[in-house]
Amino acid sequence: MSISPELQRALLAAAHEAAAASYSPYSNFPVGAALYLGDDAPLVLGCNVENASFSMTLCAERTAIVKAVSDGHRANMRAIAIVATKTRPCFPCGACLQVMREFAPEILLIFEDAQGDPVVHALSEMLPFSFSNQDLPQ
Ligand code: THU
């Protein structure tokens, strides 16, 4: 599956909209994510949600993925655009990659390069050796 350049840019724009809702008073590092579930479903947006107990912080990517799962869309995650307002590109943390691996091993990740243009990487490039339910005893 591939994502057209027009859709890549639309997803990055939606991720910027998502970042506007960021609750990040401790890091001052807003992040937004836009999860694409196919043309027949609305985009799912997520932002980072911090907490005074810092380790409770939820990243933008996990916010979007958990929203989608909770809405019954766990089978259709095709692409996720990720942006930060203060740096480009903004790559996901390992925890978010692992959560993507659970629901969408084929997902494409869309980032902004230093010029703001889209760049796409498959999850398998970002997390080439991964642990999954296949590794658990049957
Ligand atoms: N953050 C994300 O939401 N996603 C990323 O890909 C990187 C980091 C958030 C977590 C925290 O709220 C802030 O950025 C600084 O680490």
Side-chain angles (χ1 to χ4, degrees), residues 17-78:
E17 281 177 35
S22 169
Y23 177 71
S24 45
Y26 306 107
S27 71
N28 289 310
F29 190 82
V31 183
L35 181 58
Y36 175 64
L37 301 163
D39 289 338
D40 297 329
L43 291 180
V44 180
L45 304 185
C47 64
N48 53 334
V49 182
E50 298 187 344
N51 192 283
S53 178
F54 295 165
S55 65
M56 296 297 102
T57 290
L58 195 58
C59 294
E61 300 90 319
R62 271 178 289 160
T63 301
I65 290 167
V66 168
K67 282 173 69 179
V69 172
S70 183
D71 284 346
H73 292 298
R74 68 175 185 236
N76 296 314
M77 300 181 196
R78 300 186 182 176

Side-chain angles (χ1 to χ4, degrees), residues 48-133:
N48 53 334
V49 182
E50 298 187 344
N51 192 283
S53 178
F54 295 165
S55 65
M56 296 297 102
T57 290
L58 195 58
C59 294
E61 300 90 319
R62 271 178 289 160
T63 301
I65 290 167
V66 168
K67 282 173 69 179
V69 172
S70 183
D71 284 346
H73 292 298
R74 68 175 185 236
N76 296 314
M77 300 181 196
R78 300 186 182 176
I80 185 167
I82 301 148
V83 302
T85 61
K86 294 184 177 168
T87 191
R88 294 193 296 221
C90 177
F91 294 126
C93 73
C96 287
L97 293 173
Q98 182 66 27
V99 171
M100 290 175 206
R101 175 66 186 80
E102 181 74 19
F103 297 108
E106 314 272 308
I107 198 168
L108 299 175
L109 288 78
I110 304 166
F111 305 104
E112 291 179 316
D113 69 12
Q115 285 70 46
D117 293 321
V119 54
V120 182
H121 291 290
L123 179 61
S124 57
E125 292 177 81
M126 308 287 300
L127 193 68
F129 302 100
S130 63
F131 185 82
S132 76
N133 59 354

